[in-house]
Amino acid sequence: MITGGSRGIGRAIAQRFASKDTDLVVTHSSSSQSAMVALGNEISHLCHGFEVMRFSVADSGQVGDAVTEIIKTYGRLDVLVNNAGITKDGLCVRMGDDEFSDVINVNLAGAFYMCRAAARPMMKQRFGRIINVSSVVAFTGNPGQANYSASKAGLIGLTKSLALELAPRAVTVNAVAPGYIDTDMTSSLDAKIKDGLLARVPLGRVGLPVDVAEAVHFLASDAAGYVTGQTIHVNGGLYM
């Protein structure tokens, strides 16, 4: 199950997980129907099963209903990728209450609701992988993104706490922290900001969504069975 899987990093993760052995559920809350149809046309034939669900991760009731429906349909939930996120940038002194709370509610509270709902069946089946998509700004901060940075930093604490709680039931919880990745979110940045970011990346290139998807796929695999409570930084050296 991949939240926010219609575009950018989420779409790349969905593409990476698509296989004949996988029942893949991709969620979204606001993407156009055409975008989801396009994703389905691209990867549904590669999967054992493929489904799109539309709901808001910021609504705990909708989250609970969605996970209940998945268990009813597929019998289990093995992997949860919390990728859904929004931005509402602005300097702290000008940021409205709603601009702060909306980002926290989707990026952090939404991930918590998803983890809580998924943890129950995972604990029961004594297996599970939860991967939270954080950000480099959780560690560095970023001017104009106090809300976003706080939400992504909160995901790191959530990841570590849940890793400790769920480890006795063989459920791992990890995070991936992307850096400057070529997505719709970063494409809207001013050219000078883009150049400034790129100049700080030792590898000298912008990251691609597939770079993040590979790290997520590893954490969901059997190869990462002894990895929990960790954050993999995918940033080309932007933060070390």
Side-chain angles (χ1 to χ4, degrees), residues 128-167:
R129 300 279 192 268
I130 297 175
I131 301 102
N132 296 317
V133 179
S134 181
S135 170
V136 65
V137 301
F139 300 87
T140 65
N142 200 34
Q145 287 193 316
N147 49 3
Y148 186 76
S149 298
S151 70
K152 293 301 186 177
L155 279 179
I156 302 303
L158 178 67
T159 296
K160 291 178 178 292
S161 296
L162 292 184
L164 291 170
E165 291 182 16
L166 302 181

Side-chain angles (χ1 to χ4, degrees), residues 170-203:
V171 178
T172 66
V173 188
N174 292 287
V176 173
Y180 181 21
I181 307 297
D182 186 14
T183 65
D184 291 346
M185 190 179 295
T186 58
S187 65
S188 63
L189 293 174
D190 180 83
K192 290 184 178 179
I193 295 177
K194 290 182 181 179
D195 291 343
L197 284 170
L198 187 58
R200 294 162 53 195
V201 179
L203 283 182

